[in-house]
Amino acid sequence: MMSPESESPPSAPSTQHSGPLRLGLLGGSFNPVHNGHLAIARQTREALGLGQILFIPTSHPPHKPNGSLAPAQDRYEMVRLAIASDPSLAISDVEIRRPGKSYSIDTIRLLQQEYGAQTQLFFLIGLDAFLDFPSWRKPLTLLELCPFVVLSRPGLSFRSLSTVALLPSMSESSLADLDAGRISQLEVPLGTQRLTCLQLPPCTVSASDIRSRIRQGLPVANLLPPLVESYILQHHLYQEDRYRTNS
């Protein structure tokens, strides 16, 4: 869901939701969704006191070649199966049902219309993706739409946020405390919104590793929800190199 704003305004959704008052938006290719994604969602929901995490599978993200993803409907179905037994997790097809590439600014605006003013949205994004955020189109507009939550990523330091031009000055010592685990989260005022940095337990599961293991016929039982593993086998997904992405 890391995308610039499109030229045309989004169309209004046909339904309204009475959903939770605090909703985390977790976008991604989910190629495939794995146990690490589920752990990150649950840990973030608990840490921030969110009512629900909304998984948003991308359709055609601009930063990945179109041929590198499993079909969008398969990725959507795998997420649906993975979260079916957990009412704190939900899924949206907002990006899949919209033709063309997936644009974050359209997605947020559509969901704001769909859920209404009674629901506060939180945009969840990995630290690796957020470091590229200034290159997105109209990034300042995006930051004003809703609070952003930057999630830790293995091998990256929150101190690198001090190099992001769009952000206000951030305490180097606080960022160092976050990296060292002396504090678990840091909130920074950001215009009319705020930015939250959240340190999570390291996630060692990788979708690219899972795809590689499937191609090699290696076991993935501890990496995927059982229903997702069954779906992949039944639909013969990830048997070829064309499904290469990094997430």
Side-chain angles (χ1 to χ4, degrees):
M1 212 166 61
M2 42 181 297
S3 324
E5 182 186 14
S6 74
E7 295 293 342
S8 58
S11 58
S14 58
T15 58
Q16 293 289 322
H17 292 260
S18 59
L21 292 179
R22 292 163 61 84
L23 181 67
L25 310 180
L26 184 59
S29 57
F30 303 119
N31 191 40
V33 64
H34 53 66
N35 290 338
H37 292 132
L38 301 180
I40 288 169
R42 290 168 177 145
Q43 291 160 359
T44 302
R45 188 185 71 83
E46 182 176 353
L48 300 181
L50 303 178
Q52 202 171 47
I53 300 293
L54 187 68
F55 282 73
I56 308 173
T58 55
S59 178
H60 302 294
H63 299 286
K64 293 179 180 177
N66 288 341
S68 66
L69 297 174
Q73 196 56 47
D74 285 323
R75 291 182 287 110
Y76 177 92
E77 184 63 16
M78 286 188 284
V79 173
R80 189 192 68 78
L81 292 169
I83 68 173
S85 63
D86 190 342
S88 72
L89 306 178
I91 186 170
S92 171
D93 66 352
V94 62
E95 295 200 346
I96 292 175
R97 71 176 184 246
R98 187 172 64 236
K101 293 184 181 295
S102 300
Y103 293 108
S104 293
I105 198 162
D106 288 349
T107 297
I108 295 175
R109 285 172 169 163
L110 276 168
L111 291 173
Q112 285 175 331
Q113 295 173 26
E114 190 169 348
Y115 282 89
Q118 75 276 14
T119 299
Q120 184 176 18
L121 306 181
F122 294 78
F123 190 97
L124 313 181
I125 182 172
L127 176 57
D128 52 344
F130 191 73
L131 291 176
D132 290 331
F133 188 74
S135 68
W136 297 11
R137 189 170 173 222
K138 296 188 178 179
L140 291 175
T141 301
L142 275 170
L143 292 174
E144 289 292 330
L145 288 179
C146 67
F148 271 60
V149 180
V150 180
L151 308 175
S152 57
R153 293 285 286 172
L156 292 177
S157 165
F158 277 108
R159 278 170 289 183
S160 58
L161 290 177
S162 62
T163 65
V164 179
L166 298 179
L167 300 182
S169 177
M170 303 176 73
S171 166
E172 288 280 353
S173 61
S174 295
L175 293 173
D177 286 342
L178 198 59
D179 287 328
R182 289 186 288 269
I183 59 176
S184 61
Q185 66 184 79
L186 177 67
E187 289 199 1
V188 180
L190 196 62
T192 61
Q193 301 290 350
R194 67 183 181 277
L195 177 75
T196 300
C197 301
L198 185 62
Q199 181 68 262
L200 297 175
C203 175
T204 59
V205 184
S206 149
S208 58
D209 178 59
I210 289 171
R211 294 192 302 272
S212 175
R213 293 179 69 86
I214 292 170
R215 284 195 300 273
Q216 298 175 62
L218 299 175
V220 292
N222 296 324
L223 305 175
L224 296 171
L227 291 177
V228 173
E229 182 182 6
S230 296
Y231 186 95
I232 290 172
L233 294 175
Q234 291 168 7
H235 292 80
H236 308 290
L237 299 177
Y238 307 119
Q239 302 298 319
E240 303 174 10
D241 289 348
R242 64 192 179 93
Y243 293 119
R244 287 179 179 170
T245 59
N246 294 323
S247 61

